[in-house]
Amino acid sequence: IYTDNMTRENFCDVLASMLEMEDKLPTNDIKKFSDTDNSNVSRLYHAKIVTGYEDGTFKPQSYITRQEAAVMLYRAAEYLGYKGNDISVGAMYSDDANIADWAKAAVYQMNSIKVMSGVGENKFDPESNYTNEQSIATVLRLYDAV
């Protein structure tokens, strides 16, 4: 089960649990997306940790990618007061060109505080699915880091 891929909705549940432990989970759970009633997704949206798609969907049952996870982790860190490190976003990974522009800063920020790193062989593998185990481990690291 730990090696199974994590869905976008379940990742929100894990992040929300961490925020709840810190008594930082927003209370505003007004439904935002047309394809999910999950209150954690709505709360994280109102905290500016998650966004959906232009068509008003969240795609809750889609598997979360590594770069999507990095962005959500980074936004959660900012929500908790993390100011970011002064890093230059460059070709730290050999597959840097495959990391979407909207995710690069988050990928490198999460690497800089040792919350999320590459997959080996100097690769980040941004489009690969994120597993349950990776999700839990990085949220715990984020909790410790901020």
Side-chain angles (χ1 to χ4, degrees), residues 8-20 24-33 36-51 58 60 72:
R8 289 169 49 82
E9 184 173 62
N10 288 345
F11 191 75
C12 287
D13 290 337
V14 173
L15 267 180
S17 294
M18 186 264 298
L19 292 175
E20 196 167 41
K24 300 281 187 178
L25 184 62
T27 56
N28 185 348
D29 66 352
I30 296 170
K31 182 180 171 184
K32 167 62 181 163
F33 302 105
T36 183
D37 290 328
N38 183 301
S39 65
N40 287 330
V41 172
S42 296
R43 288 175 177 161
L44 294 181
Y45 168 79
H46 290 290
K48 297 180 172 56
I49 294 171
V50 302
T51 59
F58 184 72
M72 289 184 198

Short mmCIF file of all heavy atoms in Angstrom, two decimals, residues 8-20 24-33 36-51 58 60 72:
data_model
loop_
_atom_site.label_atom_id
_atom_site.label_comp_id
_atom_site.label_asym_id
_atom_site.label_seq_id
_atom_site.Cartn_x
_atom_site.Cartn_y
_atom_site.Cartn_z
N ARG A 8 -4.45 13.10 -5.83
CA ARG A 8 -4.38 14.52 -5.48
C ARG A 8 -5.22 14.79 -4.22
O ARG A 8 -4.80 15.53 -3.34
CB ARG A 8 -4.86 15.37 -6.66
CG ARG A 8 -3.89 15.36 -7.83
CD ARG A 8 -4.46 15.99 -9.10
NE ARG A 8 -5.08 17.27 -8.92
CZ ARG A 8 -4.44 18.44 -8.87
NH1 ARG A 8 -3.12 18.47 -8.99
NH2 ARG A 8 -5.10 19.58 -8.71
N GLU A 9 -6.38 14.18 -4.16
CA GLU A 9 -7.26 14.37 -3.00
C GLU A 9 -6.64 13.80 -1.72
O GLU A 9 -6.66 14.45 -0.67
CB GLU A 9 -8.61 13.71 -3.28
CG GLU A 9 -9.64 13.91 -2.19
CD GLU A 9 -10.99 13.37 -2.60
OE1 GLU A 9 -11.09 12.14 -2.83
OE2 GLU A 9 -11.92 14.17 -2.70
N ASN A 10 -6.09 12.61 -1.80
CA ASN A 10 -5.47 12.01 -0.62
C ASN A 10 -4.25 12.80 -0.16
O ASN A 10 -3.98 12.88 1.04
CB ASN A 10 -5.10 10.54 -0.87
CG ASN A 10 -6.32 9.65 -0.92
OD1 ASN A 10 -7.40 10.04 -0.51
ND2 ASN A 10 -6.14 8.45 -1.44
N PHE A 11 -3.50 13.36 -1.09
CA PHE A 11 -2.37 14.21 -0.70
C PHE A 11 -2.87 15.41 0.09
O PHE A 11 -2.25 15.82 1.08
CB PHE A 11 -1.57 14.64 -1.93
CG PHE A 11 -0.26 15.28 -1.59
CD1 PHE A 11 0.81 14.51 -1.17
CD2 PHE A 11 -0.08 16.65 -1.70
CE1 PHE A 11 2.04 15.09 -0.85
CE2 PHE A 11 1.14 17.24 -1.39
CZ PHE A 11 2.20 16.46 -0.96
N CYS A 12 -3.99 15.97 -0.32
CA CYS A 12 -4.59 17.08 0.43
C CYS A 12 -4.97 16.64 1.84
O CYS A 12 -4.79 17.39 2.80
CB CYS A 12 -5.81 17.62 -0.30
SG CYS A 12 -5.40 18.56 -1.78
N ASP A 13 -5.49 15.42 1.96
CA ASP A 13 -5.85 14.91 3.29
C ASP A 13 -4.62 14.79 4.19
O ASP A 13 -4.67 15.13 5.37
CB ASP A 13 -6.55 13.56 3.17
CG ASP A 13 -7.95 13.66 2.57
OD1 ASP A 13 -8.56 14.75 2.63
OD2 ASP A 13 -8.42 12.64 2.04
N VAL A 14 -3.51 14.33 3.62
CA VAL A 14 -2.27 14.21 4.40
C VAL A 14 -1.76 15.59 4.81
O VAL A 14 -1.40 15.81 5.97
CB VAL A 14 -1.19 13.42 3.61
CG1 VAL A 14 0.14 13.42 4.34
CG2 VAL A 14 -1.66 11.99 3.35
N LEU A 15 -1.74 16.53 3.88
CA LEU A 15 -1.31 17.89 4.20
C LEU A 15 -2.22 18.53 5.24
O LEU A 15 -1.75 19.19 6.17
CB LEU A 15 -1.31 18.76 2.94
CG LEU A 15 -0.04 18.88 2.14
CD1 LEU A 15 -0.26 19.78 0.93
CD2 LEU A 15 1.11 19.38 2.96
N ALA A 16 -3.52 18.33 5.09
CA ALA A 16 -4.47 18.90 6.04
C ALA A 16 -4.26 18.33 7.43
O ALA A 16 -4.36 19.05 8.43
CB ALA A 16 -5.90 18.64 5.56
N SER A 17 -3.94 17.06 7.53
CA SER A 17 -3.67 16.45 8.84
C SER A 17 -2.48 17.11 9.52
O SER A 17 -2.49 17.36 10.72
CB SER A 17 -3.41 14.95 8.69
OG SER A 17 -4.57 14.30 8.26
N MET A 18 -1.46 17.41 8.74
CA MET A 18 -0.28 18.07 9.30
C MET A 18 -0.64 19.47 9.77
O MET A 18 -0.26 19.88 10.87
CB MET A 18 0.84 18.12 8.25
CG MET A 18 2.16 18.67 8.77
SD MET A 18 2.45 20.43 8.47
CE MET A 18 2.46 20.53 6.72
N LEU A 19 -1.40 20.21 8.98
CA LEU A 19 -1.80 21.56 9.38
C LEU A 19 -2.70 21.53 10.61
O LEU A 19 -2.61 22.40 11.48
CB LEU A 19 -2.51 22.26 8.22
CG LEU A 19 -1.66 22.60 7.01
CD1 LEU A 19 -2.52 23.19 5.90
CD2 LEU A 19 -0.55 23.56 7.38
N GLU A 20 -3.53 20.52 10.69
CA GLU A 20 -4.42 20.38 11.84
C GLU A 20 -3.63 20.12 13.12
O GLU A 20 -3.97 20.64 14.19
CB GLU A 20 -5.41 19.24 11.57
CG GLU A 20 -6.60 19.23 12.49
CD GLU A 20 -7.68 18.29 12.00
OE1 GLU A 20 -7.35 17.18 11.53
OE2 GLU A 20 -8.86 18.67 12.11
N LYS A 24 -3.45 24.90 12.37
CA LYS A 24 -3.33 25.89 11.30
C LYS A 24 -4.24 25.58 10.11
O LYS A 24 -4.14 26.24 9.08
CB LYS A 24 -1.88 25.95 10.78
CG LYS A 24 -0.86 26.34 11.82
CD LYS A 24 -0.86 27.81 12.04
CE LYS A 24 0.31 28.15 12.96
NZ LYS A 24 0.42 29.56 13.19
N LEU A 25 -5.09 24.57 10.23
CA LEU A 25 -5.97 24.22 9.12
C LEU A 25 -7.08 25.26 9.02
O LEU A 25 -7.79 25.50 10.00
CB LEU A 25 -6.57 22.82 9.33
CG LEU A 25 -7.43 22.27 8.19
CD1 LEU A 25 -6.60 22.13 6.91
CD2 LEU A 25 -8.03 20.93 8.58
N PRO A 26 -7.23 25.90 7.88
CA PRO A 26 -8.28 26.90 7.73
C PRO A 26 -9.66 26.28 7.98
O PRO A 26 -9.88 25.10 7.73
CB PRO A 26 -8.17 27.35 6.27
CG PRO A 26 -6.81 26.95 5.85
CD PRO A 26 -6.45 25.74 6.66
N THR A 27 -10.57 27.10 8.45
CA THR A 27 -11.93 26.60 8.71
C THR A 27 -12.84 26.79 7.51
O THR A 27 -13.87 26.15 7.42
CB THR A 27 -12.54 27.30 9.94
OG1 THR A 27 -12.51 28.71 9.71
CG2 THR A 27 -11.76 26.95 11.19
N ASN A 28 -12.46 27.67 6.60
CA ASN A 28 -13.29 27.93 5.42
C ASN A 28 -13.22 26.73 4.48
O ASN A 28 -12.20 26.46 3.86
CB ASN A 28 -12.80 29.19 4.70
CG ASN A 28 -13.68 29.57 3.54
OD1 ASN A 28 -14.53 28.81 3.10
ND2 ASN A 28 -13.49 30.77 3.04
N ASP A 29 -14.34 25.99 4.41
CA ASP A 29 -14.37 24.83 3.51
C ASP A 29 -15.47 24.96 2.47
O ASP A 29 -16.05 23.99 2.03
CB ASP A 29 -14.47 23.52 4.29
CG ASP A 29 -15.78 23.38 5.04
OD1 ASP A 29 -16.56 24.35 5.08
OD2 ASP A 29 -16.06 22.28 5.55
N ILE A 30 -15.74 26.21 2.08
CA ILE A 30 -16.75 26.44 1.04
C ILE A 30 -16.27 25.77 -0.24
O ILE A 30 -15.14 25.98 -0.69
CB ILE A 30 -16.98 27.94 0.82
CG1 ILE A 30 -17.55 28.57 2.09
CG2 ILE A 30 -17.90 28.18 -0.37
CD1 ILE A 30 -17.60 30.08 2.07
N LYS A 31 -17.13 24.96 -0.81
CA LYS A 31 -16.79 24.18 -2.00
C LYS A 31 -16.32 25.09 -3.14
O LYS A 31 -16.96 26.08 -3.46
CB LYS A 31 -18.01 23.36 -2.44
CG LYS A 31 -17.74 22.49 -3.62
CD LYS A 31 -18.98 21.72 -4.01
CE LYS A 31 -18.73 21.01 -5.33
NZ LYS A 31 -19.92 20.33 -5.81
N LYS A 32 -15.21 24.73 -3.72
CA LYS A 32 -14.64 25.51 -4.81
C LYS A 32 -14.69 24.76 -6.14
O LYS A 32 -14.89 25.35 -7.18
CB LYS A 32 -13.19 25.88 -4.45
CG LYS A 32 -12.37 26.43 -5.58
CD LYS A 32 -12.91 27.71 -6.14
CE LYS A 32 -12.06 28.20 -7.31
NZ LYS A 32 -12.71 29.19 -8.12
N PHE A 33 -14.50 23.45 -6.08
CA PHE A 33 -14.34 22.68 -7.31
C PHE A 33 -15.60 21.89 -7.65
O PHE A 33 -16.30 21.41 -6.76
CB PHE A 33 -13.14 21.74 -7.19
CG PHE A 33 -11.86 22.48 -6.91
CD1 PHE A 33 -11.30 22.46 -5.64
CD2 PHE A 33 -11.24 23.22 -7.89
CE1 PHE A 33 -10.13 23.17 -5.37
CE2 PHE A 33 -10.08 23.94 -7.63
CZ PHE A 33 -9.53 23.90 -6.36
N THR A 36 -15.28 17.69 -6.59
CA THR A 36 -14.99 17.13 -5.27
C THR A 36 -15.71 17.92 -4.18
O THR A 36 -15.80 19.15 -4.27
CB THR A 36 -13.49 17.07 -4.96
OG1 THR A 36 -13.30 16.45 -3.69
CG2 THR A 36 -12.84 18.43 -4.96
N ASP A 37 -16.18 17.19 -3.19
CA ASP A 37 -16.79 17.80 -2.01
C ASP A 37 -15.86 17.69 -0.81
O ASP A 37 -16.26 17.99 0.32
CB ASP A 37 -18.12 17.10 -1.67
CG ASP A 37 -19.19 17.41 -2.70
OD1 ASP A 37 -19.18 18.51 -3.27
OD2 ASP A 37 -20.05 16.52 -2.93
N ASN A 38 -14.64 17.24 -1.02
CA ASN A 38 -13.70 17.03 0.07
C ASN A 38 -13.39 18.37 0.75
O ASN A 38 -12.88 19.29 0.12
CB ASN A 38 -12.42 16.39 -0.47
CG ASN A 38 -11.41 16.07 0.60
OD1 ASN A 38 -10.96 16.96 1.31
ND2 ASN A 38 -11.05 14.81 0.71
N SER A 39 -13.70 18.45 2.05
CA SER A 39 -13.51 19.72 2.75
C SER A 39 -12.03 20.08 2.89
O SER A 39 -11.68 21.26 2.92
CB SER A 39 -14.19 19.69 4.12
OG SER A 39 -13.57 18.75 4.96
N ASN A 40 -11.15 19.09 2.95
CA ASN A 40 -9.72 19.39 3.03
C ASN A 40 -9.22 20.06 1.76
O ASN A 40 -8.40 20.98 1.82
CB ASN A 40 -8.90 18.14 3.34
CG ASN A 40 -9.08 17.69 4.77
OD1 ASN A 40 -9.31 18.50 5.66
ND2 ASN A 40 -8.97 16.40 5.00
N VAL A 41 -9.70 19.61 0.62
CA VAL A 41 -9.33 20.23 -0.65
C VAL A 41 -9.78 21.69 -0.64
O VAL A 41 -9.02 22.59 -0.97
CB VAL A 41 -9.93 19.47 -1.85
CG1 VAL A 41 -9.69 20.24 -3.15
CG2 VAL A 41 -9.35 18.07 -1.95
N SER A 42 -11.01 21.93 -0.21
CA SER A 42 -11.54 23.30 -0.16
C SER A 42 -10.76 24.16 0.82
O SER A 42 -10.43 25.31 0.54
CB SER A 42 -13.01 23.29 0.23
OG SER A 42 -13.76 22.64 -0.76
N ARG A 43 -10.44 23.62 1.98
CA ARG A 43 -9.69 24.38 2.98
C ARG A 43 -8.30 24.73 2.47
O ARG A 43 -7.82 25.84 2.67
CB ARG A 43 -9.59 23.59 4.28
CG ARG A 43 -10.90 23.52 5.01
CD ARG A 43 -10.83 22.65 6.21
NE ARG A 43 -12.11 22.69 6.88
CZ ARG A 43 -12.50 21.80 7.75
NH1 ARG A 43 -11.73 20.78 8.09
NH2 ARG A 43 -13.69 21.92 8.32
N LEU A 44 -7.65 23.78 1.81
CA LEU A 44 -6.32 24.06 1.27
C LEU A 44 -6.39 25.05 0.11
O LEU A 44 -5.47 25.83 -0.09
CB LEU A 44 -5.62 22.77 0.86
CG LEU A 44 -5.29 21.81 2.00
CD1 LEU A 44 -4.58 20.58 1.47
CD2 LEU A 44 -4.48 22.47 3.10
N TYR A 45 -7.48 25.03 -0.62
CA TYR A 45 -7.67 26.03 -1.68
C TYR A 45 -7.76 27.43 -1.05
O TYR A 45 -7.10 28.37 -1.51
CB TYR A 45 -8.93 25.75 -2.51
CG TYR A 45 -9.29 26.91 -3.39
CD1 TYR A 45 -8.61 27.12 -4.59
CD2 TYR A 45 -10.25 27.84 -3.00
CE1 TYR A 45 -8.90 28.21 -5.39
CE2 TYR A 45 -10.54 28.94 -3.79
CZ TYR A 45 -9.86 29.11 -4.98
OH TYR A 45 -10.14 30.20 -5.77
N HIS A 46 -8.55 27.56 -0.01
CA HIS A 46 -8.73 28.87 0.63
C HIS A 46 -7.44 29.34 1.32
O HIS A 46 -7.26 30.54 1.52
CB HIS A 46 -9.91 28.84 1.60
CG HIS A 46 -11.22 28.74 0.86
ND1 HIS A 46 -11.73 29.78 0.11
CD2 HIS A 46 -12.10 27.73 0.74
CE1 HIS A 46 -12.87 29.41 -0.43
NE2 HIS A 46 -13.12 28.16 -0.07
N ALA A 47 -6.54 28.40 1.63
CA ALA A 47 -5.23 28.77 2.19
C ALA A 47 -4.20 29.03 1.09
O ALA A 47 -3.04 29.29 1.38
CB ALA A 47 -4.73 27.65 3.11
N LYS A 48 -4.63 28.93 -0.17
CA LYS A 48 -3.77 29.14 -1.34
C LYS A 48 -2.66 28.09 -1.46
O LYS A 48 -1.58 28.36 -1.99
CB LYS A 48 -3.20 30.56 -1.36
CG LYS A 48 -4.26 31.63 -1.47
CD LYS A 48 -3.66 33.01 -1.49
CE LYS A 48 -4.61 34.10 -1.78
NZ LYS A 48 -5.77 34.29 -1.00
N ILE A 49 -2.95 26.89 -0.95
CA ILE A 49 -1.99 25.79 -1.05
C ILE A 49 -2.25 24.95 -2.29
O ILE A 49 -1.32 24.44 -2.90
CB ILE A 49 -2.03 24.93 0.24
CG1 ILE A 49 -1.53 25.77 1.42
CG2 ILE A 49 -1.22 23.65 0.08
CD1 ILE A 49 -1.73 25.13 2.78
N VAL A 50 -3.51 24.82 -2.68
CA VAL A 50 -3.85 24.08 -3.89
C VAL A 50 -4.62 24.97 -4.84
O VAL A 50 -5.28 25.93 -4.42
CB VAL A 50 -4.67 22.79 -3.60
CG1 VAL A 50 -3.93 21.87 -2.68
CG2 VAL A 50 -6.04 23.11 -3.07
N THR A 51 -4.50 24.65 -6.10
CA THR A 51 -5.30 25.29 -7.14
C THR A 51 -5.87 24.17 -8.00
O THR A 51 -5.41 23.04 -7.94
CB THR A 51 -4.46 26.24 -8.01
OG1 THR A 51 -3.41 25.49 -8.62
CG2 THR A 51 -3.88 27.38 -7.21
N PHE A 58 -10.75 19.87 -9.95
CA PHE A 58 -9.55 19.60 -9.18
C PHE A 58 -8.90 18.29 -9.60
O PHE A 58 -7.72 18.07 -9.35
CB PHE A 58 -9.87 19.58 -7.68
CG PHE A 58 -8.65 19.39 -6.82
CD1 PHE A 58 -7.73 20.42 -6.68
CD2 PHE A 58 -8.41 18.20 -6.17
CE1 PHE A 58 -6.59 20.25 -5.90
CE2 PHE A 58 -7.28 18.03 -5.38
CZ PHE A 58 -6.38 19.05 -5.24
N PRO A 60 -9.58 15.14 -8.40
CA PRO A 60 -9.16 14.56 -7.12
C PRO A 60 -8.65 13.13 -7.20
O PRO A 60 -7.81 12.75 -6.40
CB PRO A 60 -10.43 14.65 -6.27
CG PRO A 60 -11.55 14.66 -7.25
CD PRO A 60 -11.02 15.41 -8.43
N MET A 72 2.70 21.95 -3.86
CA MET A 72 1.81 21.96 -2.69
C MET A 72 2.60 22.01 -1.39
O MET A 72 2.23 22.71 -0.45
CB MET A 72 0.88 20.76 -2.72
CG MET A 72 -0.19 20.84 -3.79
SD MET A 72 -1.30 19.42 -3.65
CE MET A 72 -2.06 19.42 -5.25
#
